[in-house]
Amino acid sequence: MKVTIRSWTGVATWRWVANDDNCGICRMAFDGCCPDCKLPGDDCPLVWGQCSHCFHIHCIMKWLNSQQVQHLCPMCRQEWKFKE
Amino acid sequence: MLNSYWLDANMSTDDVWKKICLAFPILADNECSRECPEDNVLEEIKELKLNKCIEDIVICRIEQIMRQKITPDFWSRFSERKTEIGGFERFKDAVDFLYNSFSNFLPMLENLEKFRTISRINRVIYGEETLLGTFKVIVTSTLLSQLPLTHQIITEDFYKVSFKVFCNADKSDVDQDESSEDVVQCGGCSHEIEQCHCQAILLVFHETNRKLIELDLLERLAGEVITTLIHIRIENHVQESCKGSFDTSYISSLESWLSTVVMGWLTHIYNVNAVSTQSSIKKFHQKISHFLYETYTRTRIEQLFNIIIEYPDSQPAVEDLRICLQKTDLRLYLTQKLQRALETRLLHPGVNTPDVLTAYVAAIRALRQLDPTGVLLETVTLPVRHYLRWRDDTVRCVVSSLTEEGPSELADELVRGEALQLDEGAPSDEDMTNWEGWNPDPVDADPSKTSKSRRTSDIISMLVNVYGSKELFVNEYRTLLADRLLSQFTYNTEKEIRYLELLKLRFGESQLHYCEVMLKDVYDSKRINAHLHSDPNFKLDRQQFPSTAMILSAQFWPPFKEETLELPDFVKEHLQIYTKAFETLKGNRTLSWKPHLGSVNIDIELKDRKFNLTVSPIHATIIWHFQTKNQWTVEELSQLMHVPATVLRRKIAFWQSQGMLREISTDSFLLVEESSTRSKCPVPPDMVCEDEETESAMASAHDQREEELQVFWSYIVGMLTNLDLMPLERIHQMLKMFASQGPTAVECSLRELRNFLDRKVREHRLLFSGGFYRLPKS
């Protein structure tokens, strides 16, 4: 007997490759979306800082905008710089 | 008294008595003679100045004769009879006898009347002005005072026989030509056609009634019997004419039947002097037409369950019932009857939930028509709602019929689209503009609810209200949607999006947000697949077979059933390449495969056969392994594929049914290379095989709920450790206070909590005694 696979449709779930499950700011899951968004993934992406902490982009932007003097990572208080 | 007059008149007592007897022979002998005494005799008696006394004596004598002779004689004819016809004859005899005796009294009464005029007596005896009236009262009262127990049998015979003849005459007008030839017996008098007595019977009947009316005895003697007969007749007619057919209205035909046939018979009885009986006939008509309505209503109520089941077709019957209910006072009867019918015929474990739902929907629509205020609906269907709440699969059935293809009442209702009305909403003000058209709610209405909410709520709202919360329905819809998306594997989501939009109109945007993401996932997957396959950098085009994927946002899908499956390495490599491509496309994101989900299109080449099949990954993996070795035991496969043996056996059954595998000994399967031995069921090529049992990929709503309740368990253990003993209500209160706060609050009803705790008791993790729960001592 010979079995030939013509096509294979699998089912997978996507997830962010991050060192935590939840966003440190909004406490929502990374794989979900920030409180202001409706759709996860492309519409509500994550960003990483150089300190290797990551957040929903909308969350960290909100945080940074509210900081007048210095932009610090809310987790480790180091200066926040986006990881390239 | 006599003495004093006698002295005055200077006559002997005997002379006076003789004279009186000459004027009123009734006093002398027992027979009442017909001859009339001369006027001067009366004049002479008048001179005696004994007027009142004489009148008293005569009336007394009449009463005596009536009491001692005529009445016993009359009633003696009402004894045992052998046949109905016999009874008929006896009744006629009796009435004839009475009438004759009555007539015999008449000359004498005339005489007495004359006597009264000349001696100017005008006193009222027994409330009657005239002597004839008085006499009739005497006759009636003596007759009734000696009423024998069995008198009704004979009376009944008389009217039954005549009614039968009458109805037969009436009927034979209609269908004379068809049936008269082969009928030997006359339908009316049960004699042979040639010797039909019908005419004679009618004649006698007519005559007897005339006599009874003349005696003023018809009502007294036969009224009850006539009424009973008519009632029976009406009942039979209603039963016959509207047995089992609900698609025509019967009210008008029944009414015309009543006014022609029944009233025809009645006028036949009464129609002696039309003017005096007019009013009593009218009164009778009112009475029996009310009875007709009541009988008809009762009949319809008996059939109401069937009427409801056949609803849109049985609309005329419902309309009839609506009209009848206004004329009769049978609302309560209807509620009780229908509830009982529902309980015995619908609300038991033998009925499928979809059937219960269909009946419930039909009931909603039918009862709406019956009572637009919705009160009837609310009271009658209360047990149905309670029952549906208790059934596990109600939500699933409702949701699936909502989104079902093809003609489904619920789907139509959904398309009609209105915002969902739930009970919990604040009571809205009554409509003030149309205040003149306002009607109070029926008496059996529940005062705690606004009449508007009853009037307006539509079928879907009523169904959702069974549970009182939208969440349950939305969750169930989500599970069903997930199942459909993952079983069909079409990226064509237009139809689903349409339904989702419709549902959003009803359940609100926010509730269905998750479903929206799910549909977007499917749409996005299609795009990603196309993208990955079109770009040569990803090397997907160089694969031996095209692999595509459904990429889901796990947070938004209902929890998946956890199942393991080890795919063949060959396949795993392919999926790995796909994952790599995805990671390149979407930086920082990766995929976790659900190996047991998906669909595979495979070609199978055997020595003498060739198939193309679309199967699930587990089926494909099983048959894949049979390439390397043509005989496997379940245990070996189970180890290789990381699939439990029970599941595996079930899946292998599919290949057995395809004639590819054969069980040679218990749990050991052999590949069937050549089908020559069992070519009985050739499999058509290119067939798409659905899994025999379409299993849900999702964890069931029940399991999900269980998970949620587990949250409470730690609270409960904590409480019981500190407080030792607690009753159910207190646990519930404490949970409400502490556990149900915060964004992820889980609502839990008292009933649900009891079930949960009882389960824990069964699992020996709690003890229950005397109404208190406590932890077992470890």
Short mmCIF file of all heavy atoms in Angstrom, two decimals, chain B residues 427-467:
data_model
loop_
_atom_site.label_atom_id
_atom_site.label_comp_id
_atom_site.label_asym_id
_atom_site.label_seq_id
_atom_site.Cartn_x
_atom_site.Cartn_y
_atom_site.Cartn_z
N PRO B 427 -38.71 48.55 34.13
CA PRO B 427 -40.06 48.58 33.60
C PRO B 427 -40.31 49.86 32.80
O PRO B 427 -40.10 50.96 33.29
CB PRO B 427 -40.95 48.54 34.84
CG PRO B 427 -40.05 48.91 35.97
CD PRO B 427 -38.67 48.48 35.58
N SER B 428 -40.72 49.68 31.58
CA SER B 428 -40.90 50.85 30.74
C SER B 428 -42.29 51.42 30.96
O SER B 428 -43.22 50.73 31.37
CB SER B 428 -40.72 50.46 29.28
OG SER B 428 -41.58 49.38 29.01
N ASP B 429 -42.42 52.68 30.70
CA ASP B 429 -43.71 53.34 30.89
C ASP B 429 -44.72 52.82 29.88
O ASP B 429 -44.38 52.45 28.78
CB ASP B 429 -43.56 54.84 30.73
CG ASP B 429 -42.82 55.43 31.89
OD1 ASP B 429 -42.90 54.85 33.00
OD2 ASP B 429 -42.15 56.45 31.69
N GLU B 430 -45.96 52.81 30.31
CA GLU B 430 -47.01 52.40 29.38
C GLU B 430 -47.12 53.47 28.30
O GLU B 430 -46.77 54.63 28.49
CB GLU B 430 -48.34 52.30 30.13
CG GLU B 430 -48.38 51.23 31.19
CD GLU B 430 -48.58 49.85 30.60
OE1 GLU B 430 -49.01 49.76 29.44
OE2 GLU B 430 -48.32 48.87 31.31
N ASP B 431 -47.63 53.04 27.18
CA ASP B 431 -47.79 53.98 26.09
C ASP B 431 -48.92 54.95 26.42
O ASP B 431 -50.06 54.56 26.61
CB ASP B 431 -48.11 53.19 24.81
CG ASP B 431 -48.04 54.08 23.61
OD1 ASP B 431 -47.59 55.23 23.77
OD2 ASP B 431 -48.40 53.61 22.52
N MET B 432 -48.58 56.21 26.50
CA MET B 432 -49.58 57.19 26.94
C MET B 432 -50.42 57.74 25.79
O MET B 432 -51.49 58.29 25.99
CB MET B 432 -48.88 58.36 27.64
CG MET B 432 -48.44 58.04 29.04
SD MET B 432 -49.83 57.55 30.05
CE MET B 432 -49.01 57.24 31.59
N THR B 433 -49.89 57.60 24.58
CA THR B 433 -50.60 58.23 23.47
C THR B 433 -51.92 57.53 23.18
O THR B 433 -52.89 58.16 22.80
CB THR B 433 -49.73 58.22 22.21
OG1 THR B 433 -49.25 56.90 22.04
CG2 THR B 433 -48.59 59.20 22.34
N ASN B 434 -51.93 56.25 23.41
CA ASN B 434 -53.13 55.49 23.04
C ASN B 434 -53.90 55.09 24.29
O ASN B 434 -54.34 53.96 24.43
CB ASN B 434 -52.70 54.26 22.22
CG ASN B 434 -53.88 53.57 21.61
OD1 ASN B 434 -54.92 54.18 21.40
ND2 ASN B 434 -53.71 52.29 21.32
N TRP B 435 -54.09 56.03 25.19
CA TRP B 435 -54.67 55.64 26.48
C TRP B 435 -56.12 55.21 26.38
O TRP B 435 -56.61 54.45 27.20
CB TRP B 435 -54.54 56.80 27.48
CG TRP B 435 -55.18 58.07 27.02
CD1 TRP B 435 -54.59 59.03 26.26
CD2 TRP B 435 -56.51 58.50 27.25
NE1 TRP B 435 -55.45 60.04 26.02
CE2 TRP B 435 -56.65 59.75 26.62
CE3 TRP B 435 -57.59 57.96 27.96
CZ2 TRP B 435 -57.84 60.46 26.65
CZ3 TRP B 435 -58.76 58.68 27.99
CH2 TRP B 435 -58.89 59.92 27.34
N GLU B 436 -56.80 55.66 25.34
CA GLU B 436 -58.20 55.27 25.23
C GLU B 436 -58.35 53.80 24.91
O GLU B 436 -59.34 53.18 25.23
CB GLU B 436 -58.88 56.10 24.15
CG GLU B 436 -59.28 57.46 24.64
CD GLU B 436 -59.68 58.36 23.50
OE1 GLU B 436 -58.90 58.43 22.52
OE2 GLU B 436 -60.73 58.99 23.58
N GLY B 437 -57.34 53.27 24.22
CA GLY B 437 -57.41 51.86 23.85
C GLY B 437 -56.87 50.93 24.92
O GLY B 437 -56.69 49.75 24.70
N TRP B 438 -56.62 51.48 26.10
CA TRP B 438 -56.01 50.68 27.15
C TRP B 438 -56.99 49.66 27.73
O TRP B 438 -58.17 49.95 27.90
CB TRP B 438 -55.52 51.60 28.27
CG TRP B 438 -54.84 50.88 29.38
CD1 TRP B 438 -53.56 50.47 29.41
CD2 TRP B 438 -55.42 50.52 30.63
NE1 TRP B 438 -53.28 49.86 30.60
CE2 TRP B 438 -54.41 49.87 31.38
CE3 TRP B 438 -56.68 50.65 31.19
CZ2 TRP B 438 -54.63 49.36 32.65
CZ3 TRP B 438 -56.90 50.15 32.46
CH2 TRP B 438 -55.88 49.52 33.17
N ASN B 439 -56.47 48.50 27.99
CA ASN B 439 -57.27 47.47 28.64
C ASN B 439 -56.51 46.96 29.85
O ASN B 439 -55.29 46.86 29.80
CB ASN B 439 -57.49 46.30 27.69
CG ASN B 439 -58.77 46.46 26.92
OD1 ASN B 439 -59.79 46.85 27.48
ND2 ASN B 439 -58.73 46.17 25.64
N PRO B 440 -57.21 46.67 30.91
CA PRO B 440 -56.48 46.10 32.04
C PRO B 440 -55.99 44.71 31.71
O PRO B 440 -56.56 44.03 30.84
CB PRO B 440 -57.52 46.07 33.16
CG PRO B 440 -58.81 46.04 32.47
CD PRO B 440 -58.64 46.79 31.19
N ASP B 441 -54.95 44.28 32.39
CA ASP B 441 -54.48 42.92 32.20
C ASP B 441 -55.52 41.95 32.72
O ASP B 441 -56.28 42.29 33.62
CB ASP B 441 -53.17 42.71 32.96
CG ASP B 441 -52.00 43.26 32.19
OD1 ASP B 441 -52.13 43.36 30.96
OD2 ASP B 441 -50.99 43.61 32.80
N PRO B 442 -55.54 40.74 32.17
CA PRO B 442 -56.47 39.74 32.71
C PRO B 442 -56.19 39.46 34.18
O PRO B 442 -55.09 39.74 34.66
CB PRO B 442 -56.18 38.50 31.86
CG PRO B 442 -55.51 39.00 30.66
CD PRO B 442 -54.80 40.24 31.04
N VAL B 443 -57.18 38.90 34.85
CA VAL B 443 -57.05 38.73 36.30
C VAL B 443 -55.90 37.83 36.69
O VAL B 443 -55.33 37.98 37.77
CB VAL B 443 -58.34 38.16 36.92
CG1 VAL B 443 -59.32 39.26 37.16
CG2 VAL B 443 -58.92 37.06 36.07
N ASP B 444 -55.56 36.89 35.83
CA ASP B 444 -54.51 35.95 36.24
C ASP B 444 -53.10 36.45 35.91
O ASP B 444 -52.15 35.70 35.94
CB ASP B 444 -54.74 34.56 35.62
CG ASP B 444 -55.09 34.66 34.14
OD1 ASP B 444 -55.33 35.79 33.68
OD2 ASP B 444 -55.13 33.62 33.48
N ALA B 445 -52.98 37.73 35.59
CA ALA B 445 -51.67 38.26 35.24
C ALA B 445 -50.80 38.41 36.49
O ALA B 445 -51.28 38.63 37.58
CB ALA B 445 -51.83 39.61 34.57
N ASP B 446 -49.51 38.29 36.25
CA ASP B 446 -48.56 38.47 37.33
C ASP B 446 -48.32 39.97 37.50
O ASP B 446 -47.80 40.62 36.60
CB ASP B 446 -47.24 37.76 36.95
CG ASP B 446 -46.19 37.94 38.02
OD1 ASP B 446 -46.49 38.61 39.03
OD2 ASP B 446 -45.10 37.40 37.86
N PRO B 447 -48.70 40.52 38.64
CA PRO B 447 -48.64 41.97 38.78
C PRO B 447 -47.22 42.52 38.83
O PRO B 447 -47.02 43.71 38.66
CB PRO B 447 -49.36 42.23 40.11
CG PRO B 447 -49.30 40.94 40.83
CD PRO B 447 -49.24 39.86 39.82
N SER B 448 -46.24 41.65 39.04
CA SER B 448 -44.88 42.17 39.17
C SER B 448 -44.24 42.46 37.82
O SER B 448 -43.15 42.98 37.74
CB SER B 448 -44.02 41.19 39.95
OG SER B 448 -43.89 40.01 39.21
N LYS B 449 -44.93 42.12 36.75
CA LYS B 449 -44.33 42.37 35.44
C LYS B 449 -45.17 43.37 34.67
O LYS B 449 -46.38 43.38 34.78
CB LYS B 449 -44.23 41.06 34.66
CG LYS B 449 -43.10 40.23 35.18
CD LYS B 449 -42.99 38.93 34.46
CE LYS B 449 -41.88 38.11 35.04
NZ LYS B 449 -42.03 36.70 34.76
N THR B 450 -44.52 44.16 33.88
CA THR B 450 -45.27 45.12 33.10
C THR B 450 -45.95 44.41 31.96
O THR B 450 -45.45 43.43 31.43
CB THR B 450 -44.34 46.18 32.50
OG1 THR B 450 -43.40 45.51 31.68
CG2 THR B 450 -43.62 46.94 33.59
N SER B 451 -47.10 44.95 31.60
CA SER B 451 -47.83 44.27 30.53
C SER B 451 -47.10 44.48 29.21
O SER B 451 -47.22 43.69 28.29
CB SER B 451 -49.24 44.80 30.45
OG SER B 451 -49.24 46.08 29.88
N LYS B 452 -46.32 45.54 29.14
CA LYS B 452 -45.65 45.79 27.87
C LYS B 452 -44.59 44.72 27.60
O LYS B 452 -44.45 44.23 26.49
CB LYS B 452 -45.00 47.17 27.90
CG LYS B 452 -44.68 47.65 26.51
CD LYS B 452 -44.10 49.03 26.51
CE LYS B 452 -43.69 49.40 25.10
NZ LYS B 452 -42.82 50.57 25.10
N SER B 453 -43.88 44.35 28.67
CA SER B 453 -42.83 43.36 28.46
C SER B 453 -43.43 42.05 27.98
O SER B 453 -42.82 41.31 27.23
CB SER B 453 -42.05 43.14 29.75
OG SER B 453 -42.82 42.41 30.66
N ARG B 454 -44.66 41.77 28.46
CA ARG B 454 -45.30 40.54 28.01
C ARG B 454 -45.74 40.63 26.56
O ARG B 454 -45.66 39.70 25.81
CB ARG B 454 -46.53 40.26 28.87
CG ARG B 454 -46.24 39.44 30.06
CD ARG B 454 -47.54 38.97 30.65
NE ARG B 454 -48.36 40.08 31.07
CZ ARG B 454 -48.34 40.59 32.29
NH1 ARG B 454 -47.57 40.08 33.19
NH2 ARG B 454 -49.12 41.58 32.61
N ARG B 455 -46.23 41.82 26.22
CA ARG B 455 -46.77 41.96 24.88
C ARG B 455 -45.69 41.93 23.82
O ARG B 455 -45.88 41.45 22.73
CB ARG B 455 -47.52 43.28 24.76
CG ARG B 455 -48.93 43.22 25.25
CD ARG B 455 -49.46 44.61 25.39
NE ARG B 455 -50.25 44.75 26.60
CZ ARG B 455 -51.55 44.61 26.62
NH1 ARG B 455 -52.20 44.34 25.54
NH2 ARG B 455 -52.22 44.74 27.75
N THR B 456 -44.53 42.49 24.16
CA THR B 456 -43.57 42.73 23.10
C THR B 456 -42.55 41.62 22.94
O THR B 456 -42.02 41.45 21.86
CB THR B 456 -42.81 44.04 23.35
OG1 THR B 456 -42.34 44.01 24.69
CG2 THR B 456 -43.72 45.22 23.14
N SER B 457 -42.26 40.89 23.99
CA SER B 457 -41.14 39.96 23.88
C SER B 457 -41.41 38.93 22.79
O SER B 457 -42.48 38.36 22.72
CB SER B 457 -40.88 39.27 25.22
OG SER B 457 -42.04 38.63 25.64
N ASP B 458 -40.44 38.73 21.95
CA ASP B 458 -40.63 37.82 20.83
C ASP B 458 -40.10 36.44 21.19
O ASP B 458 -39.69 36.18 22.33
CB ASP B 458 -39.94 38.35 19.59
CG ASP B 458 -38.45 38.40 19.78
OD1 ASP B 458 -38.04 38.36 20.96
OD2 ASP B 458 -37.71 38.49 18.80
N ILE B 459 -40.14 35.56 20.21
CA ILE B 459 -39.84 34.16 20.50
C ILE B 459 -38.41 33.97 20.99
O ILE B 459 -38.16 33.27 21.96
CB ILE B 459 -40.12 33.31 19.25
CG1 ILE B 459 -41.62 33.30 19.00
CG2 ILE B 459 -39.59 31.92 19.42
CD1 ILE B 459 -42.02 32.65 17.74
N ILE B 460 -37.48 34.63 20.32
CA ILE B 460 -36.09 34.42 20.72
C ILE B 460 -35.86 34.96 22.13
O ILE B 460 -35.22 34.31 22.95
CB ILE B 460 -35.15 35.09 19.70
CG1 ILE B 460 -35.29 34.36 18.37
CG2 ILE B 460 -33.72 35.03 20.18
CD1 ILE B 460 -34.41 34.85 17.30
N SER B 461 -36.46 36.11 22.41
CA SER B 461 -36.32 36.63 23.77
C SER B 461 -36.88 35.63 24.77
O SER B 461 -36.29 35.39 25.82
CB SER B 461 -37.07 37.93 23.93
OG SER B 461 -36.88 38.75 22.84
N MET B 462 -38.03 35.03 24.41
CA MET B 462 -38.63 34.08 25.33
C MET B 462 -37.71 32.89 25.57
O MET B 462 -37.61 32.38 26.67
CB MET B 462 -39.96 33.56 24.79
CG MET B 462 -40.96 34.63 24.58
SD MET B 462 -42.33 34.72 25.72
CE MET B 462 -42.42 33.20 26.54
N LEU B 463 -37.04 32.48 24.50
CA LEU B 463 -36.15 31.34 24.65
C LEU B 463 -34.93 31.71 25.49
O LEU B 463 -34.50 30.95 26.34
CB LEU B 463 -35.70 30.85 23.27
CG LEU B 463 -36.75 30.07 22.52
CD1 LEU B 463 -36.28 29.77 21.12
CD2 LEU B 463 -37.07 28.79 23.25
N VAL B 464 -34.40 32.89 25.22
CA VAL B 464 -33.23 33.31 25.98
C VAL B 464 -33.60 33.51 27.43
O VAL B 464 -32.84 33.20 28.34
CB VAL B 464 -32.64 34.60 25.36
CG1 VAL B 464 -31.52 35.12 26.22
CG2 VAL B 464 -32.13 34.32 23.97
N ASN B 465 -34.84 33.96 27.63
CA ASN B 465 -35.31 34.20 28.99
C ASN B 465 -35.45 32.93 29.81
O ASN B 465 -35.60 33.00 31.02
CB ASN B 465 -36.63 34.94 28.98
CG ASN B 465 -36.42 36.43 29.05
OD1 ASN B 465 -35.40 36.87 29.55
ND2 ASN B 465 -37.36 37.18 28.56
N VAL B 466 -35.48 31.80 29.13
CA VAL B 466 -35.52 30.55 29.87
C VAL B 466 -34.39 30.54 30.90
O VAL B 466 -34.53 30.11 32.03
CB VAL B 466 -35.39 29.35 28.92
CG1 VAL B 466 -35.08 28.10 29.68
CG2 VAL B 466 -36.65 29.19 28.12
N TYR B 467 -33.26 31.09 30.50
CA TYR B 467 -32.13 31.15 31.41
C TYR B 467 -31.94 32.51 32.05
O TYR B 467 -31.26 32.66 33.05
CB TYR B 467 -30.84 30.78 30.68
CG TYR B 467 -30.78 29.34 30.38
CD1 TYR B 467 -31.32 28.83 29.23
CD2 TYR B 467 -30.21 28.46 31.30
CE1 TYR B 467 -31.30 27.48 28.96
CE2 TYR B 467 -30.18 27.12 31.04
CZ TYR B 467 -30.72 26.64 29.87
OH TYR B 467 -30.69 25.31 29.63
#
